[in-house]
Amino acid sequence: MREVSFIKQNKEKWLSFEKAVFNNDFKDPDELASQYIHLINDLAYAQTYYPKSKVIVYLNQLAAKAFQKIYKTKREDTNRIVGFWKTEVPLICYQYRKFIYIAFIIFFSFTFIGVISAANDGEFVRSVLGDNYVNMSLENIEKGDPVAVYKSGSNWGSFIGITINNLRVGIIAFVFGVFLGIGTLYIMFKNCIMLGSFQYFFYEKEVFWESVRGIWIHGSMEIFAIVIEAAAGLILGASILFPATHSRYTSFKMGAKTGIKILISTFPFTFFAGFLEGFVTRYSNIMPHWLSVGIILITLSIISYYYLIYPFKVQKEITQNPHLILSNS
């Protein structure tokens, strides 16, 4: 069958199903499950015979949205909680993966601006970080412990204070997305400029490696989580700017709900990053190099896998085995 004929034959069915999903307009769960299976079959057919077609993207997105609706009919709360991180969030990350990629591009671009600015203006670091912080860091470098700032305060006090601050930054990065995404970009710009100039400062003082061993023990998860939270903010902003076939209000509600789910998914990583900063980072200058590097690589690998690789595995599994999902509904 030609692609045009395939689309023409199934277009009304897909649009009807999409409308029913968004409006929760199903008589019973069996009807939803039955139509979902038909959708997956159409997706498999399109992937086989029209591998480069845009219809595959549309059907993939519709299948992900339909799954989220099916998933909500699960009866056991414990499965719902586990499944939120195991299946629902990865599917959302797959569906909105372009926003995550864009958030990372913006993150690296803004951080690079911070590095270049610090390299070309000797006073830039002080204007960003403040004289007190820079002077304290210079004193710590002279004492042979560039990241001694992480040793201040008690373990529990640092853990709680840092975690609350990081949660606040992440929530603000998301909520500010309501200003058409510009607010999120501002939060990213502010934090990335600080990060870039901060790292260049240590590079200029020839203690870059020592700073990396300290900062990124907790920073791998902390910074990565903030980027994901920024992606959630961009999704929120895009839902207002680009409502597509929905009303702007309906699109906004969908974007807010999706963004909140992504935001919540980062909280365990933010808590763990706070724990590392409060209890582990303070010992970075005395621990073996292999241990500090190992912690950095492991934490970065875990969060990278969850948000960048695992979503593809979940999407593939659901596409190929829809009955495995429906059997738990």
Side-chain angles (χ1 to χ4, degrees):
M1 183 187 303
R2 296 179 61 185
E3 182 182 353
V4 175
S5 300
F6 172 71
I7 295 175
K8 185 177 180 180
Q9 177 179 313
N10 296 285
K11 182 178 180 180
E12 290 187 9
K13 178 180 65 177
W14 298 336
L15 291 176
S16 176
F17 182 61
E18 181 180 18
K19 182 178 179 181
V21 168
F22 284 121
N23 296 327
N24 199 23
D25 185 20
F26 288 98
K27 296 179 181 179
D28 56 62
D30 290 337
E31 179 187 358
L32 174 59
S34 176
Q35 293 194 34
Y36 179 74
I37 291 176
H38 284 297
L39 177 68
I40 292 298
N41 289 337
D42 290 341
L43 174 59
Y45 185 91
Q47 288 174 327
T48 301
Y49 294 101
Y50 321 115
K52 297 182 180 181
S53 173
K54 292 183 179 179
V55 74
I56 294 177
V57 177
Y58 169 75
L59 293 177
N60 255 322
Q61 293 178 347
L62 183 55
K65 293 172 184 175
F67 167 75
Q68 292 171 32
K69 186 69 65 176
I70 292 172
Y71 183 79
K72 290 178 182 179
T73 65
K74 288 190 174 183
R75 299 173 182 174
E76 297 183 12
D77 291 339
T78 52
N79 287 342
R80 179 71 178 87
I81 294 173
V82 172
F84 174 76
W85 275 276
K86 183 179 179 182
T87 308
E88 188 172 1
V89 170
L91 278 177
I92 292 174
C93 289
Y94 177 85
Q95 181 181 349
Y96 292 93
R97 60 192 181 280
K98 290 183 179 179
F99 287 89
I100 294 177
Y101 301 156
I102 291 172
F104 271 104
I105 292 173
I106 294 172
F107 164 75
F108 286 117
S109 299
F110 285 170
T111 302
F112 182 70
I113 291 174
V115 171
I116 295 300
S117 299
N120 289 278
D121 184 352
E123 296 300 314
F124 184 78
V125 175
R126 289 184 176 274
S127 66
V128 172
L129 300 176
D131 289 332
N132 291 335
Y133 193 87
V134 172
N135 292 336
M136 177 186 64
S137 297
L138 288 172
E139 292 177 4
N140 290 334
I141 291 173
E142 292 179 2
K143 295 176 182 177
D145 191 0
V147 290
V149 64
Y150 297 111
K151 295 181 179 180
S152 60
S154 64
N155 297 93
W156 280 103
S158 297
F159 165 49
I160 295 172
I162 290 165
T163 300
I164 291 175
N165 178 70
N166 291 339
L167 289 173
R168 182 183 63 83
V169 172
I171 292 172
I172 291 175
F174 165 66
V175 172
F176 274 28
V178 75
F179 300 109
L180 307 181
I182 297 175
T184 297
L185 293 177
Y186 169 74
I187 296 299
M188 287 192 72
F189 182 78
K190 181 179 178 181
N191 285 276
C192 290
I193 291 295
M194 290 178 61
L195 175 64
S197 60
F198 187 54
Q199 284 287 213
Y200 182 81
F201 169 76
F202 285 114
Y203 170 78
E204 187 179 40
K205 302 304 177 183
E206 299 182 349
V207 289
F208 179 74
W209 173 241
E210 289 81 355
S211 72
V212 168
R213 289 179 56 211
I215 296 170
W216 292 96
I217 282 179
H218 61 271
S220 294
M221 280 191 172
E222 177 185 303
I223 301 300
F224 201 116
I226 291 176
V227 175
I228 298 300
E229 290 154 356
L234 295 177
I235 291 172
L236 180 61
S239 70
I240 301 172
L241 285 171
F242 311 108
T245 58
H246 309 286
S247 69
R248 202 170 297 277
Y249 178 65
T250 299
S251 178
F252 169 71
K253 288 196 301 182
M254 293 166 52
K257 184 181 295 185
T258 297
I260 289 173
K261 289 179 180 179
I262 294 176
L263 174 68
I264 292 174
S265 76
T266 65
F267 289 173
F269 297 105
T270 301
F271 275 104
F272 189 65
F275 172 81
L276 289 174
E277 189 168 352
F279 289 88
V280 180
T281 299
R282 63 182 60 232
Y283 304 112
S284 63
N285 68 319
I286 59 175
M287 67 173 60
H289 287 200
W290 64 266
L291 181 56
S292 57
V293 173
I295 294 173
I296 294 170
L297 293 178
I298 290 173
T299 53
L300 182 60
S301 297
I302 290 173
I303 195 168
S304 297
Y305 175 81
Y306 183 73
Y307 285 106
L308 301 179
I309 300 174
Y310 184 59
F312 284 88
K313 298 186 66 174
V314 174
Q315 173 67 22
K316 183 178 180 180
E317 181 179 353
I318 290 177
T319 301
Q320 295 179 347
N321 305 287
H323 297 281
L324 293 179
I325 303 301
L326 297 174
S327 63
N328 292 320
S329 300

